[in-house]
Amino acid sequence: MKMFFKQRLLCFLAVAAIGTAAEAQDVRLVAENSRDALSDASLLRQLEDDAAPQDYIAAARADYRRLLTALYDNGYYGGTISIRIDGKEAADLSPLAAPASINSVVIRVDAGPRFKFGRAEIAPLPADATLPESFANGRTARSARIERAVSAGLNSWRDLGYAKVRVSGQQIVARHDAKRLDVRVTVETGPRLTFGPLSISGNEDVRTKRIREIAGLPVGEVYSPAEIDAAERRLRRTGAFDSVAFREASDIGPGNTLPIAAQLVESKPRRIGFGLELSSIEGVTVSSFWLHRNLLGGAERFRVDGEVSGISGQTGGTDYRLRGTFNRPATFGTDTDFFIRGTVSREDEPDYKLDKIAVETGFSRILSDDLTVELAVGLLRAREETDIGNRAYTLLTLPLKATLDRRDEPNNAIDGYYLDLSATPFISTDGQITGARLYADARAYQQFGKKLTFAARGQLGSVLGASLDEAPADFLFYSGGGGTVRGQGYQSLDVERAIGGETVSSGGASFAGAQLEARVAATDSLSVVGFYDIGYLGEGSTPFEDSEWHAGAGIGLRYNTGIGPIRLDVGTPVGDDDAGEKVQVYIGIGQAF
């Protein structure tokens, strides 16, 4: 019985001790300068309320160095730091002999005077090397500025081929009487190197030879960090690898060469995906794709897309499309891809019905990380039914395209811009139909603060050389619906003409449109959107000339998910009798643009 009560008493005391240790401690920071930086650096200020006394002592002992580093980073080199726990200096306490409880912790920092750079020198440097302007006589002597300047100096040598450049000596002197920090860093360049052999590991299904071709590392040429970065990007761009890492050898090879090792992790070769969009007028759109990332063992991509749209909609009938795309990277050069595309489709639109088979083949050239140009030749066979009559034709096309993408995140951009330009000259095999279709799509994004983003889109299109009766029906332009003017009916703005005593409708030879959005983040995952869209459609090929126009406006919601925002837009016409009476609803995945 006595043993039982003794055990109960010990348990009670242990629980009481834990409860005492879990009480929130009073951690005060006393500092006149750089208070925010010191608070962020302190581990004591980050402890949870239920931390044990030994946690406080351990954090306090670590804070001396962390607070000193924060002072240096802000240019204070004569500061003093005192951390007292219940009146005792933390440096004199041992975490192994922590008290049962702690009542107060006082962090007192006297930053002292702020220092400026006196002598600021890194040598030797290449003749054209440029150091940060903040690393100069008279500027605040923040330690991070020294690190950035040293890094810039080393990189200036690496860019010239001196891969093993290093800091061989440094002298940093704080002159307290003058409040100046003198910095002198000595650099040893080592020999100028060339790229040595490239070894590849981690690949199982993608052939090593093709990896070398795609990477395009210039073995035998002068070493350049930019070439390594470019080789990594080329391999990642194929989509065949989950991870790509190039490692430089620690030792210089024979003949002042630098061996490089590429470590790869291959992606799963196959992928499948689905999409769903809903519009109150356009109906339901269902899409799916199947992708193979390494079809022939050389990182070739083969993708098949299928789409059914206009289901239960008010836009004519149901449309179907099946498309296959084959892409081979590094063909005729590391940044030139070869592609073949084939499409079989049926479009049942209000003004026309079109059955089409089209094939294109050509090359895409990546001029920079954000600029791609494309040239192809195409052949299409189509049969269309319009108010004018039925016809069949075969066209030869020469599609040209350039895309500049400088968005921070393509699927949900808050900064940057995007520009897509295309021109498609065409001629029928019998010579009866000739012309060209031009189209431009420009988008810009700007964030203000952390919650407000403005997004704008402009579209411009023209069909040259072919009349409305001659041009393929799907080469003409329409306005209205989710891709042009929300709130207006799908393709509700077209061109009406009198032919043979009857009024016929068709697309226009020119189009201009704009979409404006204000996106406001209500929470981390939910945003509210206000939008205004406008579209102009003309019978002639010159935009805005004798054009009809319409507009729409509305509000929407965006819910961020791992695959992109789920979009809900509700729009109504603007500027006509239907304003506020007719409402269009659009649901999909991803931003409207």
Side-chain angles (χ1 to χ4, degrees):
M1 183 66 71
K2 290 182 180 180
M3 181 62 68
F4 172 77
F5 282 111
K6 185 177 181 180
Q7 292 175 343
R8 292 292 298 272
L9 178 60
L10 290 174
C11 290
F12 173 78
L13 292 175
V15 172
I18 294 173
T20 302
E23 292 179 359
Q25 308 300 330
D26 178 21
V27 179
R28 290 193 300 127
L29 172 62
V30 181
E32 293 184 0
N33 298 314
S34 300
R35 181 180 174 84
D36 291 342
L38 292 168
S39 181
D40 291 341
S42 173
L43 289 177
L44 282 168
R45 304 276 287 181
Q46 301 172 26
L47 287 176
E48 300 290 340
D49 292 342
D50 58 352
Q54 51 265 46
D55 295 331
Y56 278 87
I57 294 176
R61 291 169 67 89
D63 267 0
Y64 287 105
R65 179 176 292 275
R66 295 174 65 88
L67 296 173
L68 186 64
T69 300
L71 288 176
Y72 288 172
D73 193 40
N74 285 274
Y76 297 99
Y77 295 88
T80 60
I81 301 170
S82 174
I83 304 174
R84 290 187 172 272
I85 297 178
D86 287 343
K88 297 180 181 180
E89 194 66 34
D92 300 329
L93 300 176
S94 171
L96 300 179
S101 64
I102 294 175
N103 295 317
S104 69
V105 179
V106 179
I107 305 171
R108 191 177 300 275
V109 179
D110 181 3
R114 176 173 273 182
F115 282 59
K116 296 183 181 299
F117 286 118
R119 183 180 185 182
E121 179 183 322
I122 300 174
L125 289 176
D128 59 349
T130 301
L131 296 181
E133 294 182 357
S134 59
F135 183 69
N137 184 285
R139 301 299 295 270
T140 301
R142 300 177 184 271
S143 60
R145 292 179 174 179
I146 302 174
E147 295 174 4
R148 287 194 291 269
V150 171
S151 179
L154 296 179
N155 287 337
S156 67
W157 283 113
R158 287 176 59 84
D159 291 340
L160 295 177
Y162 297 88
K164 295 304 181 182
V165 62
R166 66 182 183 90
V167 173
S168 58
Q170 59 182 2
Q171 185 179 17
I172 301 177
V173 179
R175 292 188 283 119
H176 293 269
D177 55 343
K179 302 175 186 176
R180 287 291 188 267
L181 189 74
D182 293 335
V183 179
R184 187 175 189 277
V185 178
T186 304
V187 172
E188 181 180 319
T189 65
R192 196 180 194 195
L193 305 179
T194 58
F195 281 115
L198 173 64
S199 62
I200 298 171
S201 62
N203 59 308
E204 297 179 0
D205 297 323
V206 183
R207 297 190 303 275
T208 299
K209 180 181 177 181
R210 284 291 293 148
I211 293 174
R212 296 183 192 278
E213 292 174 353
I214 296 169
L217 192 71
V219 175
E221 296 185 12
V222 175
Y223 166 88
S224 169
E227 290 290 353
I228 292 180
D229 292 341
E232 289 181 339
R233 286 195 303 271
R234 292 181 188 117
L235 289 172
R236 292 192 187 101
R237 198 163 55 212
T238 66
F241 305 99
D242 283 338
S243 174
V244 178
F246 278 51
R247 298 285 184 264
E248 300 174 8
S250 56
D251 298 324
I252 298 175
N256 288 336
T257 59
L258 184 64
I260 304 295
Q263 300 174 352
L264 310 174
V265 177
E266 293 183 352
S267 302
K268 293 182 178 179
R270 297 171 184 82
R271 182 183 176 190
I272 191 170
F274 301 90
L276 177 67
E277 291 192 20
L278 171 65
S279 167
S280 56
I281 296 297
E282 299 168 42
V284 178
T285 297
V286 179
S287 60
S288 180
F289 74 86
W290 178 87
L291 170 68
H292 199 299
R293 295 186 173 97
N294 185 36
L295 185 67
L296 304 177
E300 301 89 355
R301 293 170 66 89
F302 179 63
R303 174 166 171 155
V304 179
D305 290 86
E307 180 181 282
V308 181
S309 59
I311 303 172
S312 301
Q314 304 172 30
T315 59
T318 303
D319 300 334
Y320 305 89
R321 188 185 70 168
L322 181 65
R323 184 181 188 184
T325 304
F326 172 83
N327 188 85
R328 184 183 189 272
T331 304
F332 300 118
T334 54
D335 293 318
T336 302
D337 294 356
F338 168 74
F339 63 83
I340 301 175
R341 301 170 186 150
T343 304
V344 179
S345 63
R346 176 177 178 81
E347 298 179 39
D348 190 348
E349 303 297 334
D351 287 347
Y352 66 87
K353 291 182 181 180
L354 178 70
D355 294 306
K356 183 169 69 174
I357 298 177
V359 178
E360 291 180 359
T361 184
F363 299 91
S364 63
R365 174 74 175 178
I366 300 169
L367 300 180
S368 66
D369 291 341
D370 46 30
L371 178 60
T372 303
V373 295
E374 186 178 289
L375 170 65
V377 293
L379 177 68
L380 70 86
R381 175 67 179 172
R383 180 172 56 84
E384 66 178 41
E385 301 176 13
T386 66
D387 291 341
I388 300 175
N390 303 337
R391 63 171 178 167
Y393 52 83
T394 301
L395 293 183
L396 298 174
T397 62
L398 187 68
L400 309 170
K401 185 176 182 180
T403 302
L404 179 64
D405 191 349
R406 292 183 175 172
R407 295 173 292 182
D408 60 332
E409 175 56 53
N411 293 327
N412 193 13
I414 61 175
D415 184 67
Y417 58 92
Y418 169 90
L419 181 62
D420 184 55
L421 304 175
S422 64
T424 307
F426 56 86
I427 182 172
S428 62
T429 53
D430 59 7
Q432 299 298 312
I433 305 173
T434 60
R437 187 182 195 269
L438 310 179
Y439 178 72
D441 183 354
R443 311 174 191 185
Y445 309 85
Q446 180 64 57
Q447 186 178 49
F448 297 89
K450 295 183 178 181
K451 293 185 176 294
L452 176 62
T453 300
F454 284 111
R457 180 186 189 186
Q459 298 168 280
L460 201 63
S462 177
V463 174
L464 305 174
S467 68
L468 296 183
D469 297 339
E470 295 172 338
D474 60 330
F475 279 29
L476 299 176
F477 300 95
Y478 292 86
S479 185
T484 50
V485 179
R486 288 163 290 183
Q488 294 285 351
Y490 175 73
Q491 294 189 357
S492 58
L493 186 59
D494 54 15
V495 172
E496 294 186 349
R497 296 168 293 147
I499 297 180
E502 296 184 0
T503 300
V504 298
S505 299
S506 70
S510 62
F511 170 72
Q515 295 178 300
L516 305 174
E517 286 192 353
R519 305 168 183 171
V520 181
T523 66
D524 290 341
S525 58
L526 186 65
S527 298
V528 180
V529 175
F531 63 85
Y532 181 87
D533 302 342
I534 188 170
Y536 292 83
L537 193 71
E539 183 174 345
S541 59
T542 303
F544 301 108
E545 186 177 80
D546 299 327
S547 296
E548 297 291 334
W549 71 279
H550 62 178
I555 60 174
L557 294 175
R558 306 289 186 269
Y559 182 78
N560 291 327
T561 68
I563 59 174
I566 297 176
R567 180 180 75 254
L568 168 63
D569 285 334
V570 179
T572 185
V574 171
D576 57 33
D577 295 337
D578 294 331
E581 296 182 2
K582 290 186 177 181
V583 174
Q584 314 288 345
V585 179
Y586 310 90
I587 299 174
I589 297 176
Q591 296 285 1
F593 58 90

